[in-house]
Amino acid sequence: MHKVVPFKKVAVIGAGTMGSGIAGQIANANQEVLLLDIPGDEPNSITEDAIKKLIKSDPPALMHKNRTNLIKIGNIRDNFESLSECDLIIEAVVERLDIKKDLYKRINEVINEDCVITSNTSTIPIKLLIEDMPLSFRKRFAITHYFNPVRFMRLLELVRGHDTNPKIISKLADYNDRILGKGVVACDDTPGFLGNRVGVYALQVGMDEAFKLGLSIEEADALMGRPMGIPKTGVFGLYDLIGVDLMADVVDTLGSILPKSDLFHKVGSKNIPTAELIKQMIQDGFTGNKGKGGFYRIDENEHELIVDIHTHKICPKIGKLNDKAQKAAELLEQGKETLFHLINNSSNNNSEKKYTSFCRNVLGRILNYSASLIPEITSSPQNIDDAMKLGFNWIRGPFEIIDALGKDVANELFIESDLEIPKSMACFPFYRVKKNKLYVSNYSNSNNKPKSSLKPIILPENAMRFHLKRQTLKPVFENRSASLFTIDDDIRLIEFHSKANTLDDFSMEVVKAATNNPGNGIIVHNDAQHFSSGVNLNAFLSLIRSKNWEGIDKFLLKFQHAVKSLKFSSVPVVGAPSGMAIGGGFEVLLHSDKIIAHTNSVLGLVESGVGLIPGGGGVKETYLRCYQKLNDEEEAAWKTWMQIGYGQTGTSPEKSSELLYFINDRDRTEMNRDYLVNSALLSIKELNEKGYKKPEPKTIRLPGNSILKKMEDFMDNGIDKGVFYPHDKTVAMEVASVVANKKENKVITVKEDELFDRERKAFINLAKTKPTLDRISALIEKGVSLRN
C-alpha cells in the first residue's frame, strides 16, 4: 500500500548519536535524507564516520546496510545551501543554547517559506530556543524529541510553541506516526517535557532509596525491574546502558531548569547520596557500557563485578535474586500480578522488611510525583503513561499502576512517604470502560476550579494498542499463559501473555480453542515488547533432569497438533508479531497464511544454541520454503541445514526475506506496531473476499544420504579450525536427519507428518545428551550461552 509522505525532502543537522539515529530511521522508512555536521579534518569526515557507526551499531540502527544509500552526507560549510530544497529540517546538534540559536539564524536565511524546522532537544524550552527569531520562523518551529536508540525506542515527544501553527503540529504528528513508526505524545513546553521529567525522577528515587535502606545495586535492580513492570536493567543497569556521564548531565540540567519547589531537587545531583561516587566514576572513565563499565563491570578474567554504593568498593557480582524478587519472578512466570507481593508487609524477616520498604517507598514517591504533575504539565494521565511505556519501556504507566493498586493503597503509600495526596487522585480510577469503550479521566484547574472529565483514549485512526483494547473485551477462553478474544468482524485474536511470552501446554490449549471455533479468521498477536522468546525452557530442563522423555514427546506432539490446526484451519490465519519472535514462537508464525510484522521484529529458529532443534515444524516449514524457492532437494536441504544449525535470525524484513522467513510477495510490514492488528484484519478480509481455501498437506521430496557426508565434512573442518565445538556437530547432524534420507542415496517422498515425527525424534535424541543439558542449564541458571 502506497503511503503519502507529508515531507518529501528532509535534512538532519548534527551527526552525533541522536542525529545519525534520526537520519537512519528516516532511511529505514525508505526515504532519502541529508545528514550534515561541521567540517572535519576532511570536509565530510564527521558524517562519514557517523555512517560507519550506524552500520556497526549494536543493536543495528539500520534495517539493512543498504539503507545508507538513502543517507546523503555533507557539512554545514559546503552544503548549507542545500537546505533551501528541504521541507523539513531536524536540528540535533549539541545541547548548547548559543550554538542552536546561531544555527537557526543561518537556517532562516536559506530555507523556503514552507519549510518546517524542529529541534531534538531533550531539555531546553522552546521559548528560549526561538526567542530571537521572527514570527514567520516561530510559526514553523516545534520540538521533536526522539529517544535513543531511535530505531527501537517508540516515543516521540512533540512540543508545540506558543506561536507554532497547529497544522504544522498535525503534519509532524502524522509523519512521525505513520512514516517513522513513532508513538507521538503531545507535550507542553515544560521542563523535561514528560518522559524525562518522570523517568529520570524514577531512576533517582530508586538510587536514593537503595542507598538509604542499605541495598546493593543488584538487590535494587532485581526489585525495581521486571516485578514492577520496568525493564530488567532496573536503575543502575539503565544508568550503565544510557551512560553514567550522560545521565549526570541530564540530572544536572533538570535540576537547573525545574522550579525550586519541585520534588526532583530532593534527588537531584546536589542531594543524591551517590553524587560523589558518580562524579568519581566519570572522572575514572567508568561511564557505563560504552566505557570501562559502570556500576556493573567485568575484570580482565571475565569475572562480573559490581560497585558497592555504600563503601565505593568493587565486589563480586552475586547474581542471585533475593527471596522477594525470586518470588516475584515465580509469580511473573505464572502470569500473576506482582505489585501486591512487592508491597506486602507480612514477613518478620528483616531483609524482607527492607525489600518491602524499598518497594513501597519507590512506588509511593514515583506515583505521587506523577500524579502531582497533573494538570501542571498535562491534563491527561494517558500522556504520562504513554511517555513512560513508549520512552522507558514500562509495561504500565504510573496511572495504570495506581489503578491496579487501588486508591486506598496508593494513598497509603503517599502518606508513608510524608507526601501530600495529589488533587488529581480525585479522578480515580484514571481509566474506565463505558459501553465497550475505554476512557481516561482528564483533570484541569481552570480559574482555580478543579474539573475532571472523561475523554476517549487518544490514538491515531486505525491504530490499536491491544493492552488497552483488551480492557474492553471479555476473553472467549483464557488460562495463565494465553487468552482468546473475539474482535471486529467475528475475528479471533490469540494473545500470549506468559513471562517473556514463552510457550507451554497452556499456550497451545488456547491455540486449539481458536481453531475449534475460528469465526471468520484468526490473528496471533500480543502487545508485549516481544511476541515470544520460544518454548518454556524451564519446563524442558525439569523434564530432561527427570529423564521424562515421554513427557517431552507428549508436549511436542501437542505443540505440533496446535500449529498444524493453525495451518489447516478453515479460515485465514495471520501472525502479527513485534520484537522477538524466535524458536517456538516463530514456529507458530510459520504455520500462518500470512505475516504482518513490525519492521523491528526478529524472526528465526535459534534452538541450536541450546543444543536442540526446532520441534514444532520449524525444520519442516523452512525446508518447504527453501525447496519451493530452489526447486532442488539437495540445495534446499543444505540451506535449511545451514540456517537451523547456525540459528540464523532476521533482524529486519530484508534479512528475514533472505532467510525465507518472510515472503515478500505474501507478507507485509508495518513501521508502527500500533497498526499491526488493523493490517491483519484487512488481510483476513482480503483473503476471505478472494474465496479462502485452506491449504492441503504437502508431500515432500528429500535428498539421498550423499549430502550427509558433505555435512559431516563441513562440521569436522569447522571443529579442526576451532569454529565449531563437538556438540555443534551432534546438533547439526540431528538437523540433517530431518531433511535427508539417511538409509540410502536416493530421493524419497514423505508426508508432512513424517517430518513432524523426525523433528520430535531428533529433539529427544539431543535432550538425552549431557552437553545439551549443560547448555540449557547455563542459559537458565547463569544467563550465559555455553559452547561445548
Side-chain angles (χ1 to χ4, degrees), residues 449-469:
K449 292 183 178 180
K451 183 180 179 183
S452 176
S453 60
L454 279 180
K455 295 185 179 180
I457 289 292
I458 299 174
L459 286 175
E461 185 180 3
N462 297 324
M464 180 192 293
R465 293 177 189 156
F466 193 70
H467 72 281
L468 297 176
K469 176 71 174 178

Side-chain angles (χ1 to χ4, degrees), residues 586-711:
F586 184 56
E587 287 178 297
V588 171
L589 298 174
L590 278 170
H591 290 84
S592 62
D593 294 292
K594 190 170 187 173
I595 294 175
I596 310 290
H598 183 223
T599 46
N600 288 346
S601 298
V602 177
L603 310 179
L605 300 165
V606 297
E607 288 83 351
S608 62
V610 290
L612 295 170
I613 75 161
V619 182
K620 168 182 69 74
E621 289 297 315
T622 303
Y623 180 84
L624 281 169
R625 293 178 181 212
C626 290
Y627 183 77
Q628 185 177 6
K629 175 77 172 179
L630 302 169
N631 198 31
D632 181 279
E633 296 85 6
E634 285 207 1
E635 287 187 28
W638 183 262
K639 183 172 176 62
T640 301
W641 183 73
M642 292 289 280
Q643 282 187 202
I644 303 294
Y646 275 110
Q648 291 179 307
T649 58
T651 56
S652 67
E654 288 96 335
K655 293 185 178 180
S656 291
S657 65
E658 291 169 4
L659 300 172
L660 303 180
Y661 289 154
F662 191 88
I663 302 172
N664 287 329
D665 58 358
R666 186 200 76 169
D667 301 326
R668 281 176 45 195
T669 63
E670 285 289 344
M671 280 290 285
N672 191 328
R673 60 187 290 174
D674 291 343
Y675 295 97
L676 288 172
V677 174
N678 186 66
S679 290
L681 287 167
L682 291 174
S683 294
I684 288 174
K685 182 179 179 181
E686 291 168 2
L687 289 168
N688 281 327
E689 287 176 348
K690 291 177 181 177
Y692 178 78
K693 293 182 180 179
K694 67 178 183 180
E696 295 296 326
K698 291 182 172 61
T699 54
I700 304 165
R701 291 168 58 86
L702 301 179
N705 61 14
S706 63
I707 195 173
L708 298 180
K709 180 65 168 62
K710 179 182 175 184
M711 291 172 173

